């Protein structure tokens, strides 16, 4: 169904996913590949509306199931409108968050049934799996401490974020071939090089090499 390469960055809030996603996108682009740098939730017009609904603290107490359904709707539109079209034309899609975030936060974090949440997420995304998920791991307290104004999920409490972190790690342990788990505070350049080392073999052009 997809001919390009799909790479996802996952992890807790404040771990540096966006920074590393941009650096990887720049590097892949320098190799002559089309790159689509995207994010969830919110990188479609519909998704932007849903992002406001799930993250604005002004909404107060949102039912966990309602929250999960809105995240699933965002993912469904994102895959339909952004991810699949890019993959089908052979692009490298790099996304800041994808299904694992929904499983970690809405499943483990909100203590919903993980299997039911995963079933909904996989259906919403047409069972599209990343070629590689880069998980940047960090104690949630350290990551959240860097965020001055927290959104509704960032401010949901230490226990939720601790459960989400452990679930991210459990997902990676379940499928190590498709995950790269890195400690998030080992230096931006060092992390970027480790990520390039792992991504380079995925690029279809055999002339792609890792920079020294």
């Amino acid at each position: 169904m997809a001919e390009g390469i799909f790479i996802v960055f996952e992890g807790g809030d404040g771990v540096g996913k966006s920074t590393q996603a941009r650096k990887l996108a720049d590097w892949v682009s320098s190799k002559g590949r089309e790159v689509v740098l995207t994010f969830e939730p919110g990188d479609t017009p519909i998704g932007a509306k849903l992002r406001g609904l799930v993250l604005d603290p002004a909404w107060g107490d949102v039912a966990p199931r309602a929250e999960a359904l809105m995240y699933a709707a965002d993912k469904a539109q994102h895959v339909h409108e952004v991810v699949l079209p890019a993959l089908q034309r052979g692009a490298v899609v790099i996304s800041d968050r994808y299904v694992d975030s929904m499983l970690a936060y809405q499943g483990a974090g909100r203590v919903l049934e993980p299997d039911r949440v995963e079933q909904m997420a996989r259906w919403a995304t047409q069972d599209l799996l990343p070629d590689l998920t880069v998980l940047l791991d960090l104690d949630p307290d350290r990551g959240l401490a860097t965020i001055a104004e927290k959104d509704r999920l960032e401010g949901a409490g230490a226990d939720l974020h601790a459960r989400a972190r452990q679930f991210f790690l459990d997902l990676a342990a379940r499928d190590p071939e498709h995950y790269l788990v890195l400690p998030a505070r080992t230096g931006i350049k060092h992390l970027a090089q480790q990520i390039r080392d792992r991504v380079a073999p995925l690029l279809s052009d055999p002339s792609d090499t890792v920079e020294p």
Side-chain angles (χ1 to χ4, degrees), residues 1-190:
M1 180 170 59
E3 299 177 358
I5 301 169
F6 188 21
I7 300 167
V8 171
F9 282 80
E10 293 283 13
D13 296 300
V15 300
K17 297 182 302 301
S18 298
T19 296
Q20 290 301 330
R22 286 193 300 270
K23 291 184 75 66
L24 180 63
D26 290 343
W27 178 75
V28 174
S29 181
S30 76
K31 301 299 180 183
R33 295 293 299 265
E34 180 192 357
V35 178
V36 174
L37 180 61
T38 186
F39 64 90
E40 289 183 357
D43 199 20
T44 65
I46 290 174
K49 297 290 187 182
L50 290 165
R51 181 183 179 89
L53 291 173
V54 295
L55 294 182
D56 189 344
W59 292 111
D61 182 22
V62 177
R65 284 175 173 78
E67 180 182 273
L69 288 165
M70 286 188 282
Y71 273 106
D74 170 78
K75 294 179 190 309
Q77 187 65 23
H78 187 226
V79 167
H80 169 75
E81 186 174 336
V82 178
V83 179
L84 266 183
L87 291 175
Q88 287 168 346
R89 65 177 182 264
V92 178
V93 177
I94 300 172
S95 183
D96 181 349
R97 295 201 183 281
Y98 186 54
V99 166
D100 284 6
S101 284
M102 182 172 167
L103 304 183
Y105 286 103
Q106 281 66 58
R110 295 298 190 191
V111 199
L112 298 175
E113 297 175 60
D115 290 346
R116 296 286 292 276
V117 175
E118 182 164 12
Q119 182 182 27
M120 177 168 55
R122 300 300 181 200
W123 178 78
T125 57
Q126 304 179 50
D127 293 314
L128 178 66
L129 299 176
D131 296 287
L132 175 68
T133 297
V134 179
L135 174 57
L136 300 180
D137 181 50
L138 184 69
D139 182 329
D141 289 341
R142 293 181 63 192
L144 290 167
T146 66
I147 302 171
E149 295 186 12
K150 295 178 175 56
D151 62 34
R152 199 179 63 82
L153 196 59
E154 290 164 350
D159 288 346
L160 178 145
H161 290 281
R163 289 192 296 271
R165 179 197 187 186
Q166 185 58 54
F167 203 80
F168 277 128
L169 293 170
D170 291 345
L171 288 169
R174 201 166 75 186
D175 187 15
E177 181 180 352
H178 294 99
Y179 283 80
L180 173 63
V181 182
L182 297 170
R185 291 291 187 267
T186 54
I188 292 174
K189 291 183 178 180
H190 179 65

Side-chain angles (χ1 to χ4, degrees), residues 194-212:
Q194 290 181 291
I195 294 165
R196 290 172 186 172
D197 289 346
R198 182 65 180 269
V199 169
L202 297 176
L203 301 178
S204 59
D205 185 346
S207 67
D208 286 324
T209 57
V210 181
E211 294 178 351

